[in-house]
Structure formats: structure tokens, C-alpha cells
Amino acid sequence: MRVILLTGKGGVGKTSHAVATALGAARCGHRVFLLSTDSAHSLGDSLGCRIGPRPVPVADQVVAQEVGVLDELAYSWSEIQEWLRELLREETDELVAEELLVFPGLEELIALRAIRQVEAMREFDVCVVDCAPTGSTLRMLRFPDVLRIFMENFFDFERRGARLLRPLLERIHAKNLIPREQFFDAFERLYREIEEVRRILLDRTRTSARLVVNPTRVVVEETRRSFAYLCLYGVNTDGVIVNRELPAQAAEGYFSRWREKERSEIAAIEASFPVPIFHAPLYPHELIGKAMLATLSNAVYGDRDPAEFFLTHSPLRLFKRGAHTVLELDAPNIARDDVSVAQNGDVLVVHLRDAHRLIALPDSVLGKSVEEVSLRDGVLAVLFEA
Ligand SMILES: Nc1ncnc2c1ncn2[C@@H]1O[C@H](COP(=O)(O)OP(=O)(O)OP(=O)(O)O)[C@@H](O)[C@H]1O
Ligand SMILES: [Mg+2]
């Protein structure tokens, strides 16, 4: 089953584009499941009909569902999360663990478990997901890694009666968070389920994310960071959708300055996201109901099938090598002399001959200077100090 995640900053048009993508995919002959994992659901508002935690048909070949995130199960996970926070603080210095503690957002990942259920139905070709605003959400993709490190160590230590974790556990027990057995059961279940979800999300042969962005400075800056995180966690971002572009008529008159400003933001978008860019105009009205959202779908995808992969290989990669963080960027046909790298706050500015890329840096790299820049086989590697 193909999975397409629509995400982006709050209010940019994620829900509208999730519905538009679903309608477009159905028009191309796919059986589509439209899933909202944002706890502030608005699929129903967008489609102008009631949608709830049970799947309902909303259009020809499209079934929709809004996941009830705050069910009891999710509640128990939040207790586990508290535990983990305690443990991770002492347990790991992994790059990703640092990020996790800065941005907890487990609820979203729990909601994403619904993707497994959709897949298990075996009735759908495409699952389009209206995600919660970026920030906390997809950063949790590495959660299973942390869980695994914890599980391996924890169970191992338990079995061997090692002393290492004992004092820590005792301290946590003292807080009486939840009973021990219950914790283990919940923990194992959580681990298995989330690992499965993660496998789906990181599977580049079936899943891709699309970032919705508005051509304004604040939105572009935040989205740049989300893009960096998606790269960091290995999610394939196969498109950026620039939503609400002022039309050509706005070049004259009251909105002309706005439009000019937008043009420069669109240039910044092109410099920031080395992926296919799609465009949608600002309509003179809200987008409510199937007809309007089908129009939006046409504006964005035209004759293309929205379920297509618009990109399969990630042009930007972030990973850890020993104690160093490394950022890799594809830079084909560029000579080393044509490359310069400079840090500007939380953005890395990479000049490649006459083009430039603005790459937001994850929190774990902030304040660290660039130690080495190398170019080999068309791949630029930037090594940060440990
Ligand atoms: N291109 C557009 N032209 C005109 N109105 C739009 C456009 N895109 C979205 N809208 C309207 O903007 C509002 C917000 O859009 P939407 O609900 O899709 O955003 P969202 O990113 O899902 O928001 P949230 O973060 O609250 O979930 C809606 O009323 C929608 O109809
Ligand atoms: Mg929404």
C-alpha cells in the first residue's frame, strides 16, 4: 500500500491538500483511504460532512477516518513516555535521543498506528495521511531506536541482575508511576507496534512525505527545519507544495508588495528544498467540499497521478559518524572550488557555484562548528565538530 503523509506548519493547508491528494489519486483509479492523525481533526470540516473514528465513504473510491488519539491506550503510553524520559536522560547520548527529549510527540506516532490497520484491511492501494503540524510529530520516528536500545539494555540488565540500572529503577519506582508488570506489557506492545509503523514510514518503496508550505518567511523557516528532520530520520520527502500563492492579477495594486515579497520567498523555497516543488494559488474563497478540493488537486498535480513517487533518492542526508554529525548533499558536476559553506544561526548556507542551498540544522548540531567540508563523487559532506 502506498502511503503519502501531508505535513507542514499549522494552518498552511495540510488538510485541504490531503483531501485534494486523495481525490486526485482516486481519480487516477486508486482505492484510497484518507486518514487524519491530527488530534484537531478537520477532514470533516474540509469535506463538509461528518467523519469520525470509524471509516466512512466520502467520495467515489475514497474512505476517510479520523483517529481517536486520546483513547485509553494513548493515555497509558503517555505514562510510559514519562518513564522513558527519565531513563533516557541517563542512558544514551545518541544524536536522536537528544532530539527526542527536546521534542516529545508520541501521540502522533500512536495515531499513525492506524496505518497498520488500514493496510491489514487489504482493500486500499493508497493511504493519504493528514498529519498534525510538524514540530513534534515526525521527529518521533526514531523513537523505536531509542526503545530498542532501552529494551536491549534493560532486559539484559534485568536478566543478569546487573547493578547498573537498579538505582535508577528504584528511583523511578519510588515515584510510583505505574506498576512494574503493567509497564513491561505496555512497553513491549508499544515497541512492537511502533516498530511496525516505523518500518512502513521509513520504507522508501511505499512511503513519502509532502510538505505543505506558504510563501511567507516564518513558514518557510519552520518548514526548512522539518525537512531537515525528515532527512535526518530517513523519510523520503518527494514534494513540497507551495500553497496560497497570490495570482498574477495581484502584481498591480494593493497586493503588489505582498506579491513581490512572495516571489522572493518562493525563490527561497526553491533554494531550501531540493525536491520537486508544486504550486497552488490562493483562491478567492475557502476550500470546502469535494468540488473545490478536486479543483485544488488539478491545480497541484495536473495530469500526474498524486500517488506517484516524485522522488525516490534523498538528496540530503544527516547522520552520525562516531561522535560527529555529518551532513551529505548531492552536488553533481560541481568542483570543490565552487563550493563554500557558511553557518548563519541555525541555517547552513551552502553555495554551489551560482546556486545556494539553505539547510536548517537540527538542535543537536546547533552551536557546533563545521570541521571539514569535502566533495567526493558528486557528494558534498560537511562534518561538524564532535
Ligand atoms: N489555496 C487556498 N486558497 C484559499 N483558501 C485555502 C487554500 N488552502 C487552504 N485554504 C483554507 O485555509 C484554511 C486552513 O486550511 P487547512 O485546514 O487545509 O490547513 P491545515 O494546515 O490543515 O490547518 P491545521 O494546522 O489547523 O490543521 C481552510 O479554511 C482552507 O479552506
Ligand atoms: Mg488540518
Side-chain angles (χ1 to χ4, degrees):
M1 186 180 68
R2 175 79 167 92
V3 178
I4 306 169
L5 309 167
L6 272 292
T7 188
K9 193 170 158 58
V12 291
K14 297 177 293 298
T15 302
S16 307
H17 282 280
V19 179
T21 302
L23 294 175
R27 195 202 58 217
C28 292
H30 303 290
R31 296 165 302 167
V32 182
F33 199 98
L34 175 58
L35 188 72
S36 165
T37 57
D38 182 356
S39 51
H41 297 295
S42 62
L43 280 185
D45 297 337
S46 176
L47 278 160
C49 62
R50 247 186 88 82
I51 297 171
R54 302 262 159 273
V56 285
V58 290
D60 196 21
Q61 306 251 70
V62 185
V63 168
Q65 181 191 358
E66 298 177 329
V67 184
V69 185
L70 292 176
D71 56 18
E72 227 163 289
L73 213 53
Y75 182 67
S76 73
W77 295 149
S78 75
E79 284 184 302
I80 293 173
Q81 197 183 5
E82 274 302 305
W83 273 70
L84 284 176
R85 223 180 259 135
E86 285 291 325
L87 288 163
L88 287 172
R89 219 169 262 148
E90 323 241 343
E91 259 304 286
T92 170
D93 56 359
E94 288 282 308
L95 167 68
V96 169
E98 295 162 22
E99 308 292 353
L100 281 175
L101 295 175
V102 186
F103 298 108
L106 186 58
E107 293 83 358
E108 171 80 355
L109 208 50
I110 287 161
L112 287 170
R113 291 180 309 173
I115 296 175
R116 290 166 59 237
Q117 288 151 9
V118 175
E119 193 165 55
M121 288 184 228
R122 297 179 168 278
E123 287 169 25
F124 300 94
D125 309 307
V126 181
C127 181
V128 178
V129 188
D130 176 18
C131 299
T134 41
S136 61
T137 59
L138 292 165
R139 287 166 199 186
M140 291 304 290
L141 279 172
R142 277 300 177 99
F143 197 74
D145 281 355
V146 181
L147 285 185
R148 194 179 54 244
I149 293 163
F150 170 72
M151 292 272 279
E152 283 167 7
N153 289 320
F154 187 86
F155 286 120
D156 213 31
F157 284 135
E158 278 276 297
R159 215 174 307 124
R160 284 185 289 154
R163 286 179 301 251
L164 192 57
L165 273 175
R166 280 274 153 80
L168 179 63
L169 278 175
E170 272 154 23
R171 231 180 49 226
I172 296 170
H173 278 311
K175 290 187 188 164
N176 280 330
L177 283 174
I178 45 173
R180 193 179 176 71
E181 289 315 312
Q182 205 178 320
F183 168 74
F184 279 124
D185 291 348
F187 199 90
E188 267 203 87
R189 206 168 52 232
L190 169 76
Y191 176 72
R192 250 183 285 114
E193 291 182 356
I194 289 191
E195 181 56 39
E196 236 179 279
V197 174
R198 206 264 298 246
R199 247 200 316 264
I200 297 175
L201 298 184
L202 297 188
D203 180 349
R204 308 177 76 87
T205 65
R206 51 177 160 167
T207 303
S208 66
R210 296 196 184 141
L211 284 164
V212 183
V213 59
N214 295 147
T216 63
R217 177 71 51 89
V218 182
V219 174
V220 175
E221 279 174 2
E222 181 171 324
T223 313
R224 205 183 276 142
R225 287 173 61 74
S226 307
F227 179 67
Y229 275 94
L230 288 167
C231 292
L232 173 66
Y233 297 150
V235 177
N236 176 19
T237 303
D238 77 334
V240 166
I241 301 170
V242 189
N243 188 37
R244 291 205 188 96
E245 287 183 15
L246 284 170
Q249 298 96 296
E252 305 286 324
Y254 188 81
F255 283 106
S256 60
R257 294 265 294 277
W258 270 108
R259 188 160 185 279
E260 235 170 77
K261 178 85 182 30
E262 261 195 26
R263 292 285 109 191
S264 74
E265 287 311 323
I266 291 170
I269 290 169
E270 277 156 7
S272 305
F273 307 103
V275 303
I277 313 271
F278 296 85
H279 301 269
L282 171 69
Y283 289 91
H285 48 72
E286 273 191 87
L287 302 172
I288 296 173
K290 277 182 278 187
M292 287 184 200
L293 293 158
T295 305
L296 179 68
S297 176
N298 282 332
V300 175
Y301 298 108
D303 291 336
R304 301 182 81 170
D305 178 354
E308 207 183 293
F309 277 100
F310 299 117
L311 194 78
T312 45
H313 168 78
S314 173
L316 176 72
R317 292 149 318 259
L318 270 159
F319 52 90
K320 203 117 185 170
R321 184 185 296 152
H324 298 269
T325 299
V326 180
L327 182 152
E328 272 187 5
L329 180 69
D330 289 347
N333 308 317
I334 301 262
R336 178 67 186 85
D337 286 348
D338 291 336
V339 177
S340 75
V341 173
Q343 259 165 304
N344 182 5
D346 64 350
V347 174
L348 191 74
V349 185
V350 181
H351 284 273
L352 301 166
R353 206 174 300 142
D354 35 17
H356 66 289
R357 290 252 168 258
L358 307 172
I359 300 163
L361 298 170
D363 288 342
S364 47
V365 187
L366 291 188
K368 299 205 168 147
S369 45
V370 171
E371 204 168 279
E372 194 188 297
V373 177
S374 62
L375 185 71
R376 212 165 291 132
D377 303 326
V379 175
L380 178 77
V382 179
L383 183 91
F384 290 87
E385 68 178 2

